[in-house]
Each structure stands twice: as C-alpha cells, then as structure tokens.
Amino acid sequence: MSLRIIFMGTPEFSVPTLAALAGAGHEIVAVYTQPPRPGGRRGLDLQKSPVHQAAELLGAPVLTPVNFKDEADRQTFRAFNADVAVVVAYGLLLPEAILTGTRLGCYNGHASLLPRWRGAAPIQRAIMAGDRETGMMVMKMDKGLDTGPVALTKAVQIGETMTAGELHDRLMQVGATLMKEAIGKLEADDLPLTEQAGEGVVYAAKISKAETRIDFARTAREVHDHIRGLSPFPGAWFELDIAGKPERVKVLNSERVTAEGTAGTVLDDNLTIACGEGAVRPTRLQRAGGKALAVGDFLRGTPVAAGTRVG
C-alpha cells in the first residue's frame, strides 16, 4: 500500500523530501510550489523553483497559486482526494480549508527543536544565538505558526565553526529521512503525536538587511556566531576603505582569536579584528562583485595594515 500525497515546498531544502517520498513508493498526486520568479543575470527570465523542477522530472502535476483565498483553488486541492499533504518550506500560510483538505491532514518538516525557533529563519537564528544543538521535527499542522503536535524528532549538533549553509545541507538530508519514516508510520496507523511544551517558545524572525552589518562592539563569540549564522547568504559584512572608497566586504567564515584591542581595529597583518571582548579573524571574505577568497588570498590583493579601523 502507499499513500496519495500532495507535496508542498519551494526551495532546494524541500527537494530531498519530495524525492524520498516518491522513492518510497508513495503516489505524488500533486506538487504545490511558489510561482516562477524573475531571475537570470538581468532578472528578466522567469525561473521555476527547485521543487517545481524536481516535480516535473517526476512527472507530477505542478500548481503555483499565489495564495488560497480563491475558492476555486481550495476546491482543486480537495479534488485530488489525497490522503495527506506534506509541507516543507513552502512559503505560504495555509488556511484551515487546506489544513483539513486531505484525509489525514498536513504534516510539516520544520528545521528546529520546537517550540524553540518557530517561524521563518530557524537555521540562521539557532547559529546566531550560539545554540549548540538543533534538529528536524515532523509535526501535524494546525492554524498556529509552527504550533502543532510533534510526531518525530531528530537532533543535530551544531559545531563551533558550522555555518548556516552547512547546517542547512545537513538538516535537508535529515529531514528527508525523518519525513519518509513519519509517513511510513502514518500509513501503518502508528504515528504518535505529542503536544509541544508551553515553555521555551522562541520565534525565528526573517533575517533583515539591517542586521547583517557586523557590530564589533559585541563579544568575539557573538560576532563569530553572527558571521557563520549569515553565511553564505545574505552574508555578514563590514565596511573597509579600499583605494580611498568605502566598500562592503562580506565575511563568510571566521575564527575566534585570543587578543584584545579597541573594537573594530585591525590588530595585525593577518586581519585579526578586535571586538568588545576578544577578537575574530575572518578566514574567508568576499568583496562586492568578487569571488569568495581565503584570507591570505584576499590580503594579497587588498592589504589591510594593523591599526586600520573597520565597521
């Protein structure tokens, strides 16, 4: 036996879960994803989402409603007569008509240990907060924001130098395996549900451009966590005077260094930068419009003398 599944997702993060469910023999009766967006070098080409492209390779029908306010879209959803909807980083809040539009409801793969980091940016926020553990959870969706009862959990350790990009890739694979297990248990009527704890609720707000600038007045640990939490995208940055002009430089990796000085001051010829407490050394940087470079290669092209102020 297999389940009739409506899959709902958009970015690369969702694709392994779609592939895992299809590979397990379930019938993907429809795939919902965000509409094609302008892209390409000039932003003139409409680009299909990674899930859209993966669904076409599977031969599954793809639907891209802007929202589900139109009753016709709700009726179309129900008409698939699906057993369950699986949601992974879809990008739309689902109304109750969709949450109840399949026989068994909607199950979401969420990249945190709920109730910590409900919301849009759980991977980045966990690292930026200095968390040493996160994970994937499969929960049954309700009308709240990531408030539904939890079915399965898999914890993942966050290494001292792990970036958001690296954690994303790890959780992407963990999530696919976990959802495949959950849907198998659901098919066998053996999927337990546990209400989330009422304490420890933390929200993972969407990353804003205003918070990407590095504040070297913070401690070295906080600066280091900020840098890796925003790497590779959107990227934490500082401003550096290059050839007489201020230029943004993204820091994609860093390390903490035992050193002290005035916050925002370069302490040596290896680009060690003093923080409010301790210091950090960027190990991989990127100038605007340039390639990402190891710090040694960056300094050969753009020397930065000790005593230089950045910020």
Side-chain angles (χ1 to χ4, degrees):
M1 296 292 292
S2 64
L3 294 182
R4 290 172 55 83
I5 295 175
I6 293 175
F7 186 84
M8 311 178 82
T10 298
E12 179 190 5
F13 188 84
S14 315
V15 172
T17 302
L18 173 59
L21 294 173
H26 297 294
E27 183 182 358
I28 309 300
V29 297
V31 172
Y32 281 75
T33 188
Q34 290 286 295
R37 306 293 190 196
R41 295 187 62 182
R42 297 184 180 181
L44 301 177
D45 300 325
L46 289 178
Q47 295 188 334
K48 298 175 181 178
S49 75
V51 165
H52 193 145
Q53 296 175 52
E56 289 184 336
L57 291 176
L58 290 174
V62 180
L63 297 92
T64 59
V66 175
N67 52 51
F68 287 97
K69 293 181 179 180
D70 193 324
E71 179 59 29
D73 289 327
R74 301 181 183 199
Q75 291 179 0
T76 297
F77 185 91
R78 292 191 294 266
F80 284 111
N81 294 317
D83 293 310
V84 64
V86 171
V87 184
V88 181
Y90 179 36
L92 283 181
L93 290 175
L94 302 181
E96 188 170 8
I98 299 302
L99 295 176
T100 60
T102 63
R103 181 172 65 88
L104 298 171
C106 296
Y107 284 81
N108 175 235
H110 184 76
S112 82
L113 298 178
L114 295 166
R116 185 169 177 80
W117 303 126
R118 292 174 177 170
I123 294 175
Q124 295 94 328
R125 294 296 178 189
I127 294 179
M128 292 168 72
D131 291 2
R132 293 294 173 256
E133 183 181 64
T134 186
M136 286 296 303
M137 281 187 157
V138 174
M139 67 174 179
K140 187 172 185 179
M141 298 175 71
D142 60 18
K143 291 187 291 184
L145 178 62
D146 300 328
T147 56
V150 173
L152 295 180
T153 300
K154 177 67 174 179
V156 171
Q157 299 302 305
I158 303 177
E160 173 71 21
T161 61
M162 180 177 275
T163 65
E166 292 166 342
L167 182 57
H168 168 281
D169 292 351
R170 172 72 177 130
L171 292 174
M172 179 170 67
Q173 299 302 327
V174 169
T177 300
L178 198 67
M179 185 62 78
K180 176 182 174 181
E181 179 183 353
I183 296 304
K185 286 179 174 291
L186 183 65
E187 181 184 5
D189 195 24
D190 185 32
L191 185 64
L193 292 173
T194 304
E195 295 297 324
Q196 293 185 34
E199 299 179 351
V201 176
V202 183
Y203 287 93
K206 184 178 179 180
I207 303 296
S208 70
K209 291 182 179 179
E211 61 185 315
T212 56
R213 184 169 188 157
I214 300 170
D215 179 6
F216 289 104
R218 301 171 72 186
T219 68
R221 173 171 287 280
E222 290 172 330
V223 170
H224 174 63
D225 292 342
H226 182 248
I227 288 168
R228 63 198 186 95
L230 296 177
S231 176
F233 183 83
W237 59 275
F238 62 80
E239 199 167 73
L240 178 66
D241 190 295
I242 300 177
K245 293 183 179 180
E247 183 175 321
R248 289 188 181 188
V249 178
K250 284 186 179 182
V251 183
L252 301 176
N253 296 95
S254 64
E255 61 186 7
R256 291 191 293 147
V257 178
T258 302
E260 298 290 340
T262 302
T265 301
V266 177
L267 300 178
D268 56 27
D269 292 336
N270 294 317
L271 201 57
T272 300
I273 304 172
C275 300
E277 178 185 310
V280 295
R281 179 174 180 257
T283 57
R284 192 161 169 261
L285 306 97
Q286 184 176 23
R287 290 178 60 177
K291 296 180 180 180
L293 299 172
V295 62
D297 294 329
F298 178 87
L299 290 173
R300 275 190 284 274
T302 309
V304 182
T308 299
R309 295 298 301 273
V310 300

Short mmCIF file of all heavy atoms in Angstrom, two decimals, residues 54-107:
data_model
loop_
_atom_site.label_atom_id
_atom_site.label_comp_id
_atom_site.label_asym_id
_atom_site.label_seq_id
_atom_site.Cartn_x
_atom_site.Cartn_y
_atom_site.Cartn_z
N ALA A 54 12.03 19.69 -9.83
CA ALA A 54 12.09 18.30 -9.39
C ALA A 54 10.77 17.58 -9.67
O ALA A 54 10.74 16.41 -10.08
CB ALA A 54 12.42 18.23 -7.91
N ALA A 55 9.65 18.28 -9.47
CA ALA A 55 8.34 17.69 -9.70
C ALA A 55 8.14 17.34 -11.18
O ALA A 55 7.56 16.30 -11.52
CB ALA A 55 7.25 18.64 -9.23
N GLU A 56 8.62 18.23 -12.05
CA GLU A 56 8.49 17.95 -13.48
C GLU A 56 9.28 16.70 -13.87
O GLU A 56 8.83 15.91 -14.71
CB GLU A 56 8.96 19.16 -14.28
CG GLU A 56 8.00 20.34 -14.19
CD GLU A 56 8.42 21.52 -15.05
OE1 GLU A 56 9.63 21.63 -15.36
OE2 GLU A 56 7.55 22.32 -15.41
N LEU A 57 10.44 16.50 -13.25
CA LEU A 57 11.23 15.30 -13.53
C LEU A 57 10.50 14.04 -13.06
O LEU A 57 10.65 12.96 -13.66
CB LEU A 57 12.59 15.39 -12.85
CG LEU A 57 13.56 16.45 -13.42
CD1 LEU A 57 14.84 16.51 -12.59
CD2 LEU A 57 13.90 16.14 -14.88
N LEU A 58 9.71 14.18 -12.01
CA LEU A 58 8.93 13.05 -11.52
C LEU A 58 7.65 12.83 -12.32
O LEU A 58 6.98 11.81 -12.16
CB LEU A 58 8.55 13.28 -10.04
CG LEU A 58 9.68 13.21 -9.01
CD1 LEU A 58 9.15 13.61 -7.64
CD2 LEU A 58 10.28 11.81 -8.96
N GLY A 59 7.29 13.82 -13.13
CA GLY A 59 6.05 13.73 -13.91
C GLY A 59 4.82 14.07 -13.11
O GLY A 59 3.70 13.72 -13.50
N ALA A 60 5.00 14.76 -11.97
CA ALA A 60 3.87 15.12 -11.13
C ALA A 60 3.27 16.45 -11.57
O ALA A 60 4.01 17.35 -11.98
CB ALA A 60 4.31 15.22 -9.66
N PRO A 61 1.96 16.62 -11.50
CA PRO A 61 1.36 17.91 -11.82
C PRO A 61 1.80 18.98 -10.83
O PRO A 61 1.89 18.72 -9.63
CB PRO A 61 -0.15 17.65 -11.73
CG PRO A 61 -0.28 16.42 -10.89
CD PRO A 61 0.94 15.61 -11.13
N VAL A 62 2.07 20.18 -11.34
CA VAL A 62 2.57 21.28 -10.51
C VAL A 62 1.56 22.42 -10.51
O VAL A 62 1.09 22.84 -11.57
CB VAL A 62 3.93 21.78 -11.04
CG1 VAL A 62 4.44 22.93 -10.16
CG2 VAL A 62 4.95 20.65 -11.07
N LEU A 63 1.26 22.92 -9.32
CA LEU A 63 0.35 24.06 -9.18
C LEU A 63 1.06 25.17 -8.42
O LEU A 63 1.80 24.91 -7.47
CB LEU A 63 -0.93 23.66 -8.45
CG LEU A 63 -1.80 22.61 -9.17
CD1 LEU A 63 -1.43 21.21 -8.74
CD2 LEU A 63 -3.27 22.88 -8.93
N THR A 64 0.83 26.43 -8.84
CA THR A 64 1.55 27.56 -8.25
C THR A 64 0.60 28.70 -7.87
O THR A 64 0.76 29.83 -8.33
CB THR A 64 2.62 28.08 -9.22
OG1 THR A 64 1.98 28.49 -10.45
CG2 THR A 64 3.66 27.02 -9.52
N PRO A 65 -0.39 28.46 -7.03
CA PRO A 65 -1.29 29.55 -6.64
C PRO A 65 -0.55 30.61 -5.82
O PRO A 65 0.37 30.29 -5.06
CB PRO A 65 -2.35 28.84 -5.79
CG PRO A 65 -1.66 27.63 -5.25
CD PRO A 65 -0.73 27.19 -6.34
N VAL A 66 -0.95 31.85 -5.98
CA VAL A 66 -0.34 32.93 -5.20
C VAL A 66 -0.74 32.80 -3.74
O VAL A 66 0.03 33.09 -2.82
CB VAL A 66 -0.76 34.30 -5.77
CG1 VAL A 66 -0.24 35.44 -4.90
CG2 VAL A 66 -0.24 34.45 -7.20
N ASN A 67 -1.98 32.38 -3.50
CA ASN A 67 -2.48 32.09 -2.17
C ASN A 67 -3.69 31.17 -2.33
O ASN A 67 -3.96 30.69 -3.44
CB ASN A 67 -2.85 33.37 -1.41
CG ASN A 67 -3.79 34.26 -2.21
OD1 ASN A 67 -4.82 33.80 -2.70
ND2 ASN A 67 -3.43 35.53 -2.36
N PHE A 68 -4.38 30.92 -1.23
CA PHE A 68 -5.55 30.04 -1.31
C PHE A 68 -6.83 30.78 -0.95
O PHE A 68 -7.77 30.20 -0.40
CB PHE A 68 -5.36 28.83 -0.39
CG PHE A 68 -4.35 27.83 -0.90
CD1 PHE A 68 -3.04 27.86 -0.45
CD2 PHE A 68 -4.71 26.88 -1.84
CE1 PHE A 68 -2.11 26.95 -0.92
CE2 PHE A 68 -3.79 25.97 -2.32
CZ PHE A 68 -2.48 26.00 -1.86
N LYS A 69 -6.87 32.07 -1.26
CA LYS A 69 -8.08 32.84 -0.97
C LYS A 69 -9.22 32.52 -1.94
O LYS A 69 -10.39 32.63 -1.59
CB LYS A 69 -7.75 34.34 -1.02
CG LYS A 69 -6.81 34.78 0.08
CD LYS A 69 -6.54 36.28 0.01
CE LYS A 69 -5.60 36.71 1.13
NZ LYS A 69 -5.32 38.17 1.08
N ASP A 70 -8.87 32.13 -3.15
CA ASP A 70 -9.87 31.80 -4.16
C ASP A 70 -10.47 30.42 -3.87
O ASP A 70 -9.74 29.43 -3.73
CB ASP A 70 -9.22 31.82 -5.55
CG ASP A 70 -10.25 31.79 -6.67
OD1 ASP A 70 -11.29 31.13 -6.51
OD2 ASP A 70 -9.99 32.44 -7.70
N GLU A 71 -11.78 30.34 -3.79
CA GLU A 71 -12.44 29.07 -3.51
C GLU A 71 -12.13 28.03 -4.57
O GLU A 71 -12.07 26.82 -4.27
CB GLU A 71 -13.96 29.28 -3.40
CG GLU A 71 -14.76 28.02 -3.11
CD GLU A 71 -14.35 27.33 -1.82
OE1 GLU A 71 -13.89 28.02 -0.89
OE2 GLU A 71 -14.50 26.08 -1.75
N ALA A 72 -11.90 28.47 -5.80
CA ALA A 72 -11.57 27.52 -6.86
C ALA A 72 -10.27 26.78 -6.55
O ALA A 72 -10.15 25.57 -6.82
CB ALA A 72 -11.48 28.24 -8.20
N ASP A 73 -9.28 27.49 -5.99
CA ASP A 73 -8.02 26.86 -5.64
C ASP A 73 -8.21 25.85 -4.50
O ASP A 73 -7.58 24.79 -4.48
CB ASP A 73 -6.99 27.92 -5.23
CG ASP A 73 -6.49 28.74 -6.41
OD1 ASP A 73 -6.39 28.19 -7.52
OD2 ASP A 73 -6.21 29.94 -6.21
N ARG A 74 -9.08 26.17 -3.57
CA ARG A 74 -9.36 25.25 -2.48
C ARG A 74 -10.07 23.99 -2.98
O ARG A 74 -9.76 22.87 -2.54
CB ARG A 74 -10.21 25.95 -1.41
CG ARG A 74 -9.54 27.19 -0.83
CD ARG A 74 -10.40 27.84 0.24
NE ARG A 74 -9.78 29.06 0.74
CZ ARG A 74 -10.08 29.63 1.90
NH1 ARG A 74 -11.00 29.08 2.68
NH2 ARG A 74 -9.49 30.75 2.28
N GLN A 75 -10.99 24.18 -3.91
CA GLN A 75 -11.69 23.04 -4.46
C GLN A 75 -10.75 22.15 -5.26
O GLN A 75 -10.84 20.91 -5.21
CB GLN A 75 -12.85 23.52 -5.33
CG GLN A 75 -13.99 24.17 -4.56
CD GLN A 75 -15.11 24.66 -5.46
OE1 GLN A 75 -15.05 24.54 -6.68
NE2 GLN A 75 -16.15 25.23 -4.85
N THR A 76 -9.84 22.77 -6.00
CA THR A 76 -8.85 21.99 -6.76
C THR A 76 -8.02 21.13 -5.82
O THR A 76 -7.74 19.95 -6.09
CB THR A 76 -7.94 22.93 -7.56
OG1 THR A 76 -8.72 23.64 -8.52
CG2 THR A 76 -6.84 22.15 -8.28
N PHE A 77 -7.60 21.72 -4.70
CA PHE A 77 -6.80 20.99 -3.71
C PHE A 77 -7.56 19.78 -3.20
O PHE A 77 -7.04 18.66 -3.17
CB PHE A 77 -6.45 21.94 -2.56
CG PHE A 77 -5.52 21.35 -1.53
CD1 PHE A 77 -4.15 21.49 -1.65
CD2 PHE A 77 -6.02 20.66 -0.43
CE1 PHE A 77 -3.30 20.95 -0.69
CE2 PHE A 77 -5.19 20.11 0.52
CZ PHE A 77 -3.82 20.27 0.39
N ARG A 78 -8.81 19.98 -2.81
CA ARG A 78 -9.62 18.88 -2.27
C ARG A 78 -9.90 17.82 -3.32
O ARG A 78 -10.00 16.62 -3.00
CB ARG A 78 -10.93 19.42 -1.69
CG ARG A 78 -10.75 20.27 -0.44
CD ARG A 78 -12.10 20.54 0.23
NE ARG A 78 -12.96 21.37 -0.60
CZ ARG A 78 -13.05 22.70 -0.50
NH1 ARG A 78 -12.29 23.34 0.39
NH2 ARG A 78 -13.86 23.39 -1.28
N ALA A 79 -10.00 18.24 -4.57
CA ALA A 79 -10.37 17.31 -5.64
C ALA A 79 -9.30 16.26 -5.92
O ALA A 79 -9.58 15.24 -6.56
CB ALA A 79 -10.67 18.09 -6.93
N PHE A 80 -8.08 16.47 -5.44
CA PHE A 80 -7.04 15.45 -5.62
C PHE A 80 -7.30 14.22 -4.74
O PHE A 80 -6.66 13.18 -4.94
CB PHE A 80 -5.66 16.03 -5.31
CG PHE A 80 -5.12 16.92 -6.40
CD1 PHE A 80 -5.00 18.29 -6.19
CD2 PHE A 80 -4.74 16.41 -7.63
CE1 PHE A 80 -4.51 19.12 -7.19
CE2 PHE A 80 -4.24 17.22 -8.64
CZ PHE A 80 -4.14 18.59 -8.42
N ASN A 81 -8.21 14.35 -3.78
CA ASN A 81 -8.55 13.23 -2.89
C ASN A 81 -7.29 12.60 -2.28
O ASN A 81 -7.12 11.37 -2.26
CB ASN A 81 -9.35 12.16 -3.65
CG ASN A 81 -10.72 12.67 -4.07
OD1 ASN A 81 -11.40 13.33 -3.29
ND2 ASN A 81 -11.11 12.38 -5.30
N ALA A 82 -6.42 13.46 -1.80
CA ALA A 82 -5.16 12.98 -1.23
C ALA A 82 -5.37 12.45 0.19
O ALA A 82 -6.28 12.87 0.91
CB ALA A 82 -4.14 14.11 -1.20
N ASP A 83 -4.51 11.52 0.57
CA ASP A 83 -4.54 11.03 1.94
C ASP A 83 -3.90 12.04 2.90
O ASP A 83 -4.35 12.19 4.04
CB ASP A 83 -3.77 9.71 2.04
CG ASP A 83 -4.46 8.59 1.28
OD1 ASP A 83 -5.68 8.40 1.48
OD2 ASP A 83 -3.78 7.91 0.47
N VAL A 84 -2.84 12.70 2.44
CA VAL A 84 -2.09 13.58 3.33
C VAL A 84 -1.37 14.63 2.49
O VAL A 84 -1.04 14.39 1.32
CB VAL A 84 -1.07 12.77 4.17
CG1 VAL A 84 -0.02 12.12 3.28
CG2 VAL A 84 -0.42 13.62 5.25
N ALA A 85 -1.13 15.80 3.09
CA ALA A 85 -0.27 16.82 2.48
C ALA A 85 1.02 16.89 3.29
O ALA A 85 0.98 16.90 4.53
CB ALA A 85 -0.96 18.17 2.45
N VAL A 86 2.14 16.94 2.61
CA VAL A 86 3.46 17.09 3.24
C VAL A 86 4.00 18.45 2.87
O VAL A 86 4.10 18.79 1.68
CB VAL A 86 4.42 15.97 2.80
CG1 VAL A 86 5.83 16.25 3.29
CG2 VAL A 86 3.93 14.62 3.31
N VAL A 87 4.36 19.24 3.88
CA VAL A 87 4.78 20.63 3.68
C VAL A 87 6.21 20.81 4.19
O VAL A 87 6.50 20.51 5.36
CB VAL A 87 3.84 21.60 4.42
CG1 VAL A 87 4.21 23.05 4.13
CG2 VAL A 87 2.38 21.34 4.05
N VAL A 88 7.10 21.28 3.32
CA VAL A 88 8.48 21.56 3.71
C VAL A 88 8.90 22.87 3.06
O VAL A 88 9.09 22.94 1.84
CB VAL A 88 9.45 20.43 3.27
CG1 VAL A 88 10.88 20.76 3.72
CG2 VAL A 88 9.01 19.09 3.82
N ALA A 89 9.00 23.93 3.86
CA ALA A 89 9.46 25.24 3.38
C ALA A 89 8.67 25.69 2.14
O ALA A 89 9.24 26.09 1.14
CB ALA A 89 10.95 25.18 3.06
N TYR A 90 7.36 25.65 2.25
CA TYR A 90 6.51 26.05 1.13
C TYR A 90 6.51 27.56 0.93
O TYR A 90 6.63 28.05 -0.18
CB TYR A 90 5.09 25.52 1.38
CG TYR A 90 4.07 25.88 0.31
CD1 TYR A 90 4.42 25.94 -1.04
CD2 TYR A 90 2.75 26.13 0.67
CE1 TYR A 90 3.47 26.25 -2.00
CE2 TYR A 90 1.79 26.43 -0.28
CZ TYR A 90 2.15 26.50 -1.62
OH TYR A 90 1.22 26.81 -2.58
N GLY A 91 6.37 28.31 2.02
CA GLY A 91 6.41 29.76 1.89
C GLY A 91 5.08 30.45 1.94
O GLY A 91 5.00 31.67 1.73
N LEU A 92 4.00 29.71 2.19
CA LEU A 92 2.67 30.30 2.34
C LEU A 92 2.02 29.78 3.62
O LEU A 92 2.18 28.61 3.97
CB LEU A 92 1.76 29.93 1.16
CG LEU A 92 1.94 30.64 -0.18
CD1 LEU A 92 0.91 30.12 -1.17
CD2 LEU A 92 1.80 32.15 -0.02
N LEU A 93 1.30 30.67 4.31
CA LEU A 93 0.48 30.23 5.42
C LEU A 93 -0.75 29.54 4.86
O LEU A 93 -1.40 30.06 3.95
CB LEU A 93 0.08 31.43 6.29
CG LEU A 93 1.21 32.08 7.11
CD1 LEU A 93 0.68 33.31 7.83
CD2 LEU A 93 1.79 31.08 8.11
N LEU A 94 -1.08 28.39 5.40
CA LEU A 94 -2.18 27.60 4.86
C LEU A 94 -3.45 27.84 5.67
O LEU A 94 -3.45 27.73 6.90
CB LEU A 94 -1.82 26.10 4.90
CG LEU A 94 -0.57 25.70 4.13
CD1 LEU A 94 -0.36 24.18 4.23
CD2 LEU A 94 -0.65 26.13 2.68
N PRO A 95 -4.56 28.15 4.98
CA PRO A 95 -5.83 28.33 5.68
C PRO A 95 -6.38 26.99 6.14
O PRO A 95 -5.95 25.92 5.70
CB PRO A 95 -6.72 28.96 4.60
CG PRO A 95 -6.16 28.46 3.31
CD PRO A 95 -4.68 28.36 3.53
N GLU A 96 -7.37 27.05 7.01
CA GLU A 96 -7.94 25.83 7.58
C GLU A 96 -8.52 24.93 6.49
O GLU A 96 -8.49 23.70 6.60
CB GLU A 96 -9.02 26.17 8.60
CG GLU A 96 -9.53 24.97 9.36
CD GLU A 96 -10.41 25.34 10.52
OE1 GLU A 96 -10.75 26.53 10.66
OE2 GLU A 96 -10.77 24.44 11.31
N ALA A 97 -9.03 25.53 5.42
CA ALA A 97 -9.61 24.74 4.33
C ALA A 97 -8.57 23.82 3.70
O ALA A 97 -8.90 22.73 3.20
CB ALA A 97 -10.20 25.65 3.27
N ILE A 98 -7.31 24.23 3.70
CA ILE A 98 -6.23 23.39 3.16
C ILE A 98 -5.75 22.42 4.23
O ILE A 98 -5.49 21.24 3.96
CB ILE A 98 -5.08 24.27 2.64
CG1 ILE A 98 -5.56 25.18 1.52
CG2 ILE A 98 -3.92 23.40 2.17
CD1 ILE A 98 -6.17 24.47 0.33
N LEU A 99 -5.62 22.90 5.46
CA LEU A 99 -5.15 22.04 6.56
C LEU A 99 -6.06 20.83 6.74
O LEU A 99 -5.61 19.77 7.17
CB LEU A 99 -5.08 22.84 7.86
CG LEU A 99 -4.06 23.98 7.90
CD1 LEU A 99 -4.18 24.74 9.21
CD2 LEU A 99 -2.64 23.45 7.73
N THR A 100 -7.32 20.99 6.43
CA THR A 100 -8.29 19.90 6.57
C THR A 100 -8.73 19.33 5.22
O THR A 100 -9.70 18.59 5.15
CB THR A 100 -9.54 20.39 7.33
OG1 THR A 100 -10.14 21.48 6.60
CG2 THR A 100 -9.17 20.87 8.73
N GLY A 101 -7.98 19.67 4.16
CA GLY A 101 -8.40 19.29 2.81
C GLY A 101 -7.93 17.93 2.34
O GLY A 101 -8.15 17.56 1.18
N THR A 102 -7.27 17.16 3.24
CA THR A 102 -6.89 15.78 2.92
C THR A 102 -7.41 14.87 4.03
O THR A 102 -7.78 15.34 5.11
CB THR A 102 -5.37 15.61 2.80
OG1 THR A 102 -4.77 15.90 4.08
CG2 THR A 102 -4.77 16.55 1.76
N ARG A 103 -7.40 13.59 3.78
CA ARG A 103 -7.98 12.63 4.74
C ARG A 103 -7.27 12.66 6.09
O ARG A 103 -7.91 12.58 7.15
CB ARG A 103 -7.93 11.22 4.14
CG ARG A 103 -8.52 10.14 5.03
CD ARG A 103 -8.62 8.81 4.29
NE ARG A 103 -7.31 8.26 3.94
CZ ARG A 103 -6.60 7.48 4.77
NH1 ARG A 103 -7.07 7.16 5.96
NH2 ARG A 103 -5.44 6.99 4.37
N LEU A 104 -5.94 12.81 6.08
CA LEU A 104 -5.16 12.71 7.31
C LEU A 104 -4.53 14.02 7.75
O LEU A 104 -3.80 14.07 8.74
CB LEU A 104 -4.05 11.65 7.13
CG LEU A 104 -4.55 10.23 6.85
CD1 LEU A 104 -3.40 9.32 6.47
CD2 LEU A 104 -5.30 9.68 8.05
N GLY A 105 -4.79 15.10 7.00
CA GLY A 105 -4.26 16.40 7.39
C GLY A 105 -2.93 16.72 6.74
O GLY A 105 -2.50 16.09 5.78
N CYS A 106 -2.26 17.75 7.29
CA CYS A 106 -0.98 18.25 6.75
C CYS A 106 0.13 18.02 7.76
O CYS A 106 -0.02 18.35 8.95
CB CYS A 106 -1.08 19.75 6.45
SG CYS A 106 -2.25 20.21 5.16
N TYR A 107 1.26 17.51 7.28
CA TYR A 107 2.42 17.28 8.12
C TYR A 107 3.59 18.11 7.60
O TYR A 107 3.88 18.11 6.40
CB TYR A 107 2.78 15.79 8.16
CG TYR A 107 1.84 15.01 9.04
CD1 TYR A 107 0.59 14.61 8.56
CD2 TYR A 107 2.16 14.71 10.36
CE1 TYR A 107 -0.31 13.93 9.37
CE2 TYR A 107 1.28 14.01 11.18
CZ TYR A 107 0.05 13.63 10.68
OH TYR A 107 -0.83 12.96 11.49
#
